[in-house]
Amino acid sequence: MNGKLNASRLALGLIKDGMTIGIGSGSTVEVFLNLLGERIRNEGIVVYGIPSSYQAMLSAIKNGIKIVDLLEMEPEICIDGADQVDSRLNCIKGGGAAMTREKIIAFASKKVVIIVDESKLSEKLTIHVPVEVLPFAYGFVLRELSKICKPSLREGKGKVGPIITDNGNFILDCDFGVLENPEEVENKLKTIPGVIETGIFPSKIIDAVIVGNKKGARVIDRKI
Ligand code: 5RP
């Protein structure tokens, strides 16, 4: 928890009165939103937010952030978590099945800052890649994916059968082993009809990663 808290504290300094922010999802973002809520209450600042999931929306409302739509506002900064970050700042996201809206918001934002605890750092990306799939296309996409990786349908906890995303779709968690070239895999996945989005966030859309640990936090800026 300390790592998430310290990363969130550092990210909090990036938020200014009147800003519109893109809001990612997950437990680290939740910590960040709770801190931002304290600032809103104590300092009386106004923050507008575009949430990437129902979880993010509920937490943002609870913390006094004014919810707006991409039609009205362009986020100045997007704050999001990640499941794994490699040494070039490529990320895998979607542990909370929210990566489709997260990616739209990231692309729509002027700046993207990822907040993680140290355990998320890895030299290379190695964890399963979540792929959001239109249920109608499931059988076809499963066969196509099986040619290039080991896909498995994500099952619900507290619900029988597949989990259904906030967009009404399935998630296939895909084992590619070590991802040597994340952007190439991302491009290949996006050519399959029925694939809505993937959890690969190439480093080119990430401006900085804030890494927290027990003692504090540091910023890693993208170099290329
Ligand atoms: C949700 C995400 C989250 O950002 C990611 O899973 C990290 O979550 P947490 O901060 O709880 O570890 O991509 O789809």
Side-chain angles (χ1 to χ4, degrees):
M1 184 48 132
N2 278 347
K4 293 179 185 184
L5 188 61
N6 285 329
S8 298
R9 277 192 183 129
L10 197 54
L12 198 62
L14 300 170
I15 311 302
K16 309 266 181 296
D17 188 20
M19 245 187 184
T20 300
I21 64 170
I23 307 170
S25 300
S27 57
T28 316
V29 168
E30 180 99 40
V31 172
F32 168 78
L33 291 175
N34 290 338
L35 292 178
L36 184 55
E38 277 174 30
R39 273 195 66 194
I40 290 171
R41 283 190 301 280
N42 297 340
E43 298 171 27
I45 62 169
V46 178
V47 178
Y48 302 93
I50 300 173
S52 58
S53 63
Y54 290 121
Q55 179 233 359
M57 185 181 75
L58 294 173
S59 178
I61 291 172
K62 185 188 84 185
N63 283 298
I65 294 160
K66 297 191 184 310
I67 304 299
V68 290
D69 189 84
L70 282 172
L71 200 58
E72 306 166 89
M73 304 279 205
E74 204 180 346
E76 283 158 70
I77 190 166
C78 167
I79 306 287
D80 202 349
D83 299 300
Q84 198 171 46
V85 180
D86 78 9
S87 56
R88 287 162 49 221
L89 304 192
N90 296 297
C91 297
I92 291 182
K93 293 182 41 55
M99 71 281 186
T100 296
R101 295 187 195 192
E102 288 174 332
K103 199 181 279 187
I104 293 167
I105 291 172
F107 269 84
S109 300
K110 291 185 188 143
K111 196 170 179 180
V112 178
V113 175
I114 299 290
I115 49 176
V116 290
D117 68 49
E118 225 165 32
S119 68
K120 305 288 183 65
L121 299 184
S122 170
E123 180 56 30
K124 300 230 163 135
L125 297 178
T126 56
I127 61 171
H128 294 186
V129 176
V131 176
E132 182 159 353
V133 176
L134 193 76
F136 175 77
Y138 171 60
F140 168 68
V141 173
L142 185 66
R143 283 194 289 279
E144 289 299 301
L145 288 177
S146 299
K147 295 174 189 167
I148 54 172
C149 63
K150 285 192 202 120
S152 58
L153 185 63
R154 194 181 294 182
E155 300 276 329
K157 290 195 181 78
K159 174 196 175 294
V160 287
I163 67 134
I164 306 295
T165 68
D166 289 356
N167 312 306
N169 298 313
F170 292 171
I171 295 283
L172 283 163
D173 289 308
C174 297
D175 184 358
F176 284 93
V178 178
L179 274 187
E180 296 293 349
N181 192 338
E183 217 173 317
E184 199 177 289
V185 173
E186 157 80 346
N187 291 339
K188 195 180 277 184
L189 290 171
K190 296 296 278 291
T191 63
I192 303 172
V195 167
I196 307 288
E197 195 43 86
T198 89
I200 298 174
F201 281 50
S203 62
K204 67 179 180 199
I205 65 163
I206 313 285
D207 293 287
V209 175
I210 299 182
V211 186
N213 61 22
K214 272 191 283 191
K215 294 185 186 145
R218 69 185 196 278
V219 182
I220 312 175
D221 286 307
R222 181 163 51 86
K223 289 176 196 68
I224 45 166

